Amino acid sequence: MNDKALHTLEYDKIIRRLAASCATSLGKERAERLRPTRDLRETKRLLQETDEASRAAAIKGSAPFGGITDVRPSLTRAKLGGMLQPSELMDIAQLIAGIRKLKRYVGSVAEEADIPLLEDMCEPLTDFKPLEEEIRKCIDEQGDVLDSASPELAAVRREIRVGEGRAREKLETMIRSSSVQKMLQEALITIRGDRYVIPVKQEYRAHFGGIVHDQSGSGATLFIEPEAVVQLNNKLRELKLREMKEIERILRRLSEQTGLKADLLTGDTETLGLLDFIFAKAALAQSEFATLPSMNDEGRIDLRRARHPLIDPKNVVPIDVELGGSYSAIIVTGPNTGGKTVSLKTLGLLSLMAMSGLFITADEGSTLCVFDSIYADIGDEQSIEQNLSTFSSHMTNLISMLNQVTSRSLVLLDELGAGTDPAEGSALAIAILEHLHRIGCRIVATTHYSELKAYAYNREGIMNASMEFDAATLKPTYRLLVGVPGRSNAFAIAARLGLPKRIIEHARGEVGEDELKVDTMIASLEQDRRRAESERAAAERLRAEVEKLRQQIEEERRRFQEQKVKLLDEAREEARQSVAKAKREAEEIIAELRRVALEEGASIKEHKLIEARRRLEDAVPAPAARPRASAGAKPPKIEPGDEVKVFSLGGQKGHVAELTGSGEAVVQLGIMKMKVALSDLEPVGKKAPAKATVQAAGASVKRTRDDNLRTELDLRGATLDEAILEVDRFLDEAFLANLGQVYLIHGKGTGALRTGVQDFLRRHKHVKSFRLGNYGEGGAGVTVAELR
């Protein structure tokens, strides 16, 4: 990427912001090395990393990078056999803990969001918790080796504390003596060179024995170790040497353990730096209210309400820019201080940010392109050192660009052709633009030359644009208007500032008629554009209101349907409970009747009681049928033999006998057939058995003996042969009527009829199982058969 363009477009300021968002020096190091990439796939991957980190931060907050430092130099020394200091070992322990926290963080985010890139980065991170625990067992948070590091160290330190106590006790006895106090500068005990001493006045040196270790700056005080504590201090010195030796042994052991894992920990450290850098990109995006752009390598740019990220959001004016579709170059005209240069820098800087994997300060849906390079000639390039004028400096830059630019480049030119004679400058500007346009690169250029307006108007693939100017206030609005060339506002500004009218009129007379016509045409275009924008804004407001009303109506309709179903379910449940209560009361009455009949010898037939119970069961309301699919929904696929539910009959179940081909089906409902629309059906099960289908077809012409659907058959008084014929016909009718259970009343008697009937049921194809009646169903005088 062109380094001069990076500096001109202030890319380095974005990098400094990014580095400031990093939590570790590892992340800052990566941020400072960040440069745009020319590869589309790499750009998309970098942007996806930023997007995943943004979603992670939104779900679980900031990632935990606290306490993580760059321990790579320490790991290198440990790998080479060097001894690490306690503080270095604690940094490594903090790193191991940080790895574990970060893996937990990413794992918890992955349960709620799709973050494959972050998961892949964290997957190889190792967890050396035993090493961390060993370090923390030996070293505290302040970097001091603990007594618990080894039994030897604990024993030595106990001896040191005892020896120090004895030495201090001996010296305190001396300084409390009145004969000694007069020779002391102060009655206190101090330490010089790890040995306990007392401050003695210079004039009493000859009267005071011992070893002199130091003296004050004035020489009036000598720090003397009395002979009485020399042996004690010597002993303490030996103990402290033993302590240092033991500490060194502990540190070497921990350093050796660290060195064995140095390579893996080094890789983990670099991964943590990368993750910190990625989350810093997400933090920068959040602070700038930036969004994820769509990227391509086809030269297409579509920026929606793009804002320069280095300008205060309260003051910046958004711009819309399209490039690379029907036109590949934009010529921007307009007055100075109107925002032309800021528009150029916004386009260039946002392109560099997107190519670096950073979100851009534009609305969602914006599109940018991956260029092989971006070239920018912006601002006053006058060079005193090289004795170059502004024009010469611009030409030098342009010549350098022309030798490198390709069809995949973006060229940003500010005040093209300025700094020389207007006629020559405009001609040169047109020639340069024509050359770049033939190459096929993307171009945005600003100019004051009116000749370039005509060039852009007549040249296919080049579009005029201007910075909006408010004629009422005579101030720029800083909005970029693509498709409208800029016009001169010198006369209006001069009149507003008080220039005499006769001078202005004279000036107008000096302007050619063609230029005045063009100026009038541009003014008309601007007026039409403002009116169109106003009408479009009104239309957008109306559309938003209609959409809001539509959503409200849809939500109310949905709530109404839910309330309707709820009320129906409550009503049916209430009815079901009422019938169940009545059924319980009827059962109690029937039981009481049986008891009375048994006691008084009355004759109450069991099958009449069974029929009464069946009527009670039929009175219980069926569960609510669910609403059918909407009219626009595609009818379900239904084939002959399928079990279906008929919505219009309250969810009654049946089997499809045949399809008519006119959007209807013939449905077998018990012993009846009826035509039903396919949209009124819902499949509820697999196809019925083939035999059932055949028999069901015959059921439309065969009726029961008394044309009433029965659930019981009274066989009392019949011979076994007669009973078998009746039972066979009765079971066929019950099966065709989709009855699940029937009652065969054979009485008790000798049991021969019951045995014969049950033997027949055992072999019958429609019978799933059978049993004797329970209490209240007739007992041993009734056989209850369950049908398939």
Side-chain angles (χ1 to χ4, degrees):
M1 189 59 61
N2 187 278
D3 289 337
K4 188 177 187 307
L6 296 180
H7 175 72
T8 301
L9 297 172
E10 301 178 287
Y11 179 77
D12 55 320
K13 294 181 180 179
I14 296 297
I15 294 300
R16 284 198 290 272
R17 284 190 178 184
L18 176 62
S21 300
C22 294
T24 69
S25 61
L26 296 160
K28 287 183 173 65
E29 181 182 324
R30 282 188 173 269
E32 290 166 356
R33 296 201 311 263
L34 180 63
R35 289 293 180 272
T37 177
R38 304 176 183 181
D39 183 77
L40 177 62
R41 182 178 298 179
E42 177 69 9
T43 299
K44 288 184 175 180
R45 186 185 65 80
L46 294 174
L47 287 170
Q48 185 182 344
E49 291 175 352
T50 309
D51 184 44
E52 290 185 9
S54 297
R55 285 186 280 121
I59 294 171
K60 294 293 183 180
S62 301
F65 289 102
I68 296 175
T69 57
D70 187 0
V71 297
R72 288 175 294 180
S74 300
L75 292 171
T76 301
R77 286 186 18 248
K79 182 180 177 181
L80 296 174
M83 185 185 76
L84 303 183
Q85 295 302 310
S87 59
E88 294 177 293
L89 289 166
M90 276 306 300
D91 287 342
I92 291 171
Q94 293 277 26
L95 174 75
I96 296 171
I99 292 171
R100 192 162 54 252
K101 291 178 184 176
L102 194 61
K103 288 193 73 171
R104 281 202 302 266
Y105 171 86
V106 172
S108 64
V109 173
E111 294 176 356
E112 303 181 33
D114 186 23
I115 49 170
L117 294 182
L118 294 182
E119 285 188 279
D120 290 344
M121 289 181 200
C122 290
E123 180 63 29
L125 290 176
T126 49
D127 186 3
F128 294 118
K129 190 172 182 180
L131 176 58
E132 177 199 352
E133 292 176 344
E134 185 65 21
I135 292 174
R136 293 187 185 278
K137 173 186 171 184
C138 298
I139 303 170
D140 62 16
E141 295 292 336
Q142 289 71 41
D144 296 324
V145 180
L146 298 168
D147 293 359
S148 58
S150 73
E152 175 65 19
L153 183 61
V156 169
R157 285 183 172 172
R158 280 196 301 270
E159 291 186 45
I160 289 174
R161 287 191 288 271
V162 171
E164 288 175 342
R166 289 175 181 172
R168 294 184 67 87
E169 183 179 356
K170 177 72 72 174
L171 291 174
E172 286 174 357
T173 301
M174 292 179 63
I175 62 178
R176 283 198 297 267
S177 170
S178 57
S179 60
V180 174
Q181 282 185 354
K182 67 178 182 179
M183 294 185 286
L184 301 178
Q185 197 76 357
E186 291 182 83
L188 57 82
I189 302 170
T190 185
I191 296 176
R192 289 293 185 276
D194 289 337
R195 301 180 78 88
Y196 286 99
V197 297
I198 55 178
V200 179
K201 296 177 181 177
Q202 172 67 34
E203 58 269 26
Y204 292 106
R205 172 67 187 90
H207 302 283
F208 204 97
I211 303 170
V212 177
H213 287 278
D214 198 4
Q215 67 177 7
S216 64
S218 62
T221 303
L222 300 176
F223 294 93
I224 297 176
E225 178 185 3
E227 292 181 359
V229 295
V230 170
Q231 292 300 323
L232 291 174
N233 277 337
N234 287 342
K235 179 64 175 175
L236 282 174
R237 180 63 179 165
E238 292 175 5
L239 290 172
K240 288 188 177 181
L241 288 173
R242 284 176 54 195
E243 178 191 26
M244 291 175 59
K245 187 175 180 181
E246 180 61 16
I247 288 174
E248 181 178 343
R249 187 190 68 79
I250 293 168
L251 294 179
R252 286 195 178 279
R253 176 173 58 83
L254 295 175
S255 300
E256 182 180 352
Q257 293 178 12
T258 303
L260 295 175
K261 301 172 176 62
D263 289 337
L264 291 174
L265 286 171
T266 299
D268 291 349
T269 303
E270 293 174 353
T271 299
L272 289 182
L274 175 58
L275 288 168
D276 180 30
F277 162 69
I278 292 172
F279 277 93
K281 291 194 295 180
L284 180 66
Q286 183 181 14
S287 67
E288 295 179 340
F289 302 100
T291 62
L292 172 67
S294 173
M295 301 301 296
N296 68 87
D297 58 358
E298 301 164 0
R300 289 183 289 104
I301 293 176
D302 181 10
L303 286 177
R304 305 176 183 180
R305 293 183 57 79
R307 308 171 298 279
H308 196 290
L310 300 178
I311 299 178
D312 187 345
K314 298 178 182 177
N315 301 324
V316 68
V317 178
I319 62 171
D320 296 329
V321 181
E322 285 190 49
L323 189 64
S326 58
Y327 51 89
S328 61
I330 299 176
I331 308 300
V332 185
T333 54
N336 286 331
T337 69
K340 298 192 302 294
T341 302
V342 171
S343 297
L344 282 183
K345 287 189 171 183
T346 301
L347 173 58
L349 184 54
L350 295 190
S351 295
L352 291 173
M353 290 173 63
M355 292 165 63
S356 302
L358 301 175
F359 282 11
I360 61 171
T361 48
D363 282 3
E364 292 183 357
S366 294
T367 301
L368 282 170
C369 175
V370 175
F371 296 103
D372 64 357
S373 193
I374 296 177
Y375 300 94
D377 182 54
I378 298 175
D380 188 358
E381 300 288 346
Q382 186 173 15
S383 174
I384 296 175
E385 294 83 355
Q386 298 181 24
N387 194 25
L388 296 175
S389 66
T390 300
F391 177 75
S392 299
S393 182
H394 280 301
M395 284 300 103
T396 301
N397 292 337
L398 283 170
I399 292 168
S400 176
M401 290 181 193
L402 295 176
N403 291 330
Q404 303 176 57
V405 70
T406 71
S407 61
R408 294 188 62 245
S409 301
L410 173 64
V411 180
L412 306 173
L413 304 174
D414 191 24
E415 300 298 348
L416 181 60
T420 187
D421 178 75
E424 294 180 352
S426 60
L428 193 58
I430 291 173
I432 291 171
L433 286 173
E434 184 65 23
H435 174 75
L436 292 172
H437 186 56
R438 281 198 301 268
I439 291 175
C441 62
R442 300 297 178 260
I443 311 163
V444 181
T446 69
T447 182
H448 283 295
Y449 297 137
S450 59
E451 290 84 354
L452 267 69
K453 300 177 190 177
Y455 166 73
Y457 181 77
N458 294 320
R459 189 70 168 85
E460 185 179 353
I462 301 180
M463 179 65 68
N464 269 312
S466 62
M467 304 307 298
E468 187 179 50
F469 189 86
D470 191 339
T473 62
L474 299 180
K475 292 181 180 179
T477 64
Y478 305 103
R479 292 180 59 204
L480 178 66
L481 306 178
V482 178
V484 180
R487 65 189 181 97
S488 173
N489 297 282
F491 295 153
I493 295 173
R496 181 69 176 267
L497 295 176
L499 189 67
K501 185 176 181 180
R502 64 180 180 277
I503 297 177
I504 294 174
E505 291 301 324
H506 179 77
R508 288 185 187 275
E510 295 296 324
V511 178
E513 185 178 350
D514 290 342
E515 291 188 17
L516 288 175
K517 288 181 178 179
V518 170
D519 204 45
T520 303
M521 179 191 70
I522 294 173
S524 176
L525 286 174
E526 288 186 357
Q527 184 177 1
D528 291 343
R529 179 193 54 77
R530 290 194 182 96
R531 184 166 57 251
E533 284 188 352
S534 176
E535 292 175 355
R536 184 179 66 179
E540 284 292 329
R541 285 195 300 271
L542 287 174
R543 187 196 64 78
E545 292 175 3
V546 169
E547 179 64 20
K548 184 177 180 181
L549 286 173
R550 188 193 67 78
Q551 292 177 355
Q552 289 177 351
I553 292 172
E554 183 67 23
E555 179 64 20
E556 289 176 0
R557 188 193 67 79
R558 185 186 62 79
R559 286 200 299 266
F560 172 77
Q561 289 291 343
E562 291 179 352
Q563 186 70 10
K564 175 183 175 183
V565 172
K566 181 180 178 182
L567 291 174
L568 287 173
D569 287 345
E570 289 176 355
R572 287 187 173 89
E573 179 61 27
E574 184 177 351
R576 189 179 294 110
Q577 291 177 359
S578 298
V579 174
K581 181 179 178 183
K583 182 178 177 182
R584 286 195 301 272
E585 293 174 353
E587 288 286 353
E588 293 174 0
I589 293 171
I590 291 172
E592 180 66 18
L593 288 174
R594 284 200 181 96
R595 186 183 62 78
V596 171
L598 291 174
E599 291 178 355
E600 300 181 2
S603 175
I604 301 178
K605 292 187 177 181
E606 288 290 340
H607 72 279
K608 294 187 179 294
L609 297 178
I610 293 171
E611 178 64 21
R613 182 183 296 104
R614 186 186 64 78
R615 289 198 300 270
L616 283 172
E617 289 176 348
D618 292 342
V620 179
R626 294 298 172 191
R628 71 182 70 184
S630 61
K634 184 178 180 181
K637 184 177 181 181
I638 295 175
E639 297 178 353
D642 287 352
E643 185 180 6
V644 294
K645 182 188 296 183
V646 183
F647 289 114
S648 58
L649 297 180
Q652 178 67 39
K653 294 181 181 180
H655 289 86
V656 176
E658 61 177 305
L659 299 176
T660 63
S662 58
E664 293 181 327
V666 176
V667 181
Q668 182 79 42
L669 297 167
I671 61 174
M672 297 185 300
K673 284 184 179 180
M674 64 183 297
K675 284 187 177 181
V676 182
L678 291 176
S679 59
D680 196 26
L681 301 177
E682 178 186 355
V684 295
K686 299 179 179 179
K687 292 185 179 180
K691 291 183 179 179
T693 304
V694 174
Q695 292 180 359
S700 61
V701 296
K702 183 177 181 180
R703 307 291 293 173
T704 56
R705 186 171 49 193
D706 55 4
D707 286 340
N708 289 320
L709 183 63
R710 300 176 298 162
T711 59
E712 80 287 335
L713 177 65
D714 192 350
L715 302 172
R716 288 175 296 182
T719 65
L720 179 59
D721 292 338
E722 293 172 341
I724 294 300
L725 290 174
E726 287 293 324
V727 168
D728 187 37
R729 185 177 66 172
F730 174 69
L731 291 177
D732 286 342
E733 293 174 353
F735 178 77
L736 293 175
N738 283 329
L739 295 180
Q741 178 176 286
V742 294
Y743 299 87
L744 303 177
I745 305 169
H746 43 64
K748 297 179 182 178
T750 62
L753 184 58
R754 177 185 64 217
T755 302
V757 167
Q758 290 183 350
D759 286 342
F760 177 72
L761 293 178
R762 191 174 288 110
R763 300 188 304 273
H764 201 280
K765 60 185 176 181
H766 296 328
V767 177
K768 181 179 180 182
S769 63
F770 60 85
R771 59 178 173 81
L772 289 175
N774 295 323
Y775 177 76
E777 292 180 327
V782 175
T783 293
V784 182
E786 300 286 339
L787 304 186
R788 297 182 186 276

